[in-house]
Amino acid sequence: MQLGTRWTSGDQPLAAVPEILREQIAAVDASVDQDPLGQPRPRWTLTWLEGRPVAELDTGVVVRVDRDGEVVVGHLDDDGMS
């Protein structure tokens, strides 16, 4: 695994985030509610697993490229997502 970068949900992803992931990351960000108590938004972590990008939100949501080159959105609790 290769560590990439971190950024806050709702912020523009850094240049290191591959274009193929950006649309689904934005969709996940749009679904994240602002905490009514003013807590900070969760953060994304970009890593590379077997040469493919994986973006994981602190909440456990994962946006990744699968072996077929398709973007998959899931949760760490989903079968096969960990």
Side-chain angles (χ1 to χ4, degrees), residues 11-72:
D11 289 354
Q12 181 71 25
L14 301 175
V17 178
E19 188 64 36
I20 192 170
L21 297 181
R22 291 174 178 264
E23 183 178 337
Q24 291 303 319
I25 288 172
V28 171
D29 282 347
S31 71
V32 174
D33 293 329
Q34 182 65 38
D35 187 308
L37 300 176
Q39 295 296 312
R41 292 179 66 93
R43 292 181 52 85
W44 288 98
T45 302
L46 174 70
T47 56
W48 299 83
L49 184 60
E50 298 177 357
R52 294 186 305 271
V54 178
E56 180 183 335
L57 193 57
D58 290 342
T59 62
V61 174
V62 176
V63 179
R64 64 182 177 88
V65 176
D66 68 11
R67 289 187 177 126
D68 298 324
E70 299 294 321
V71 177
V72 178

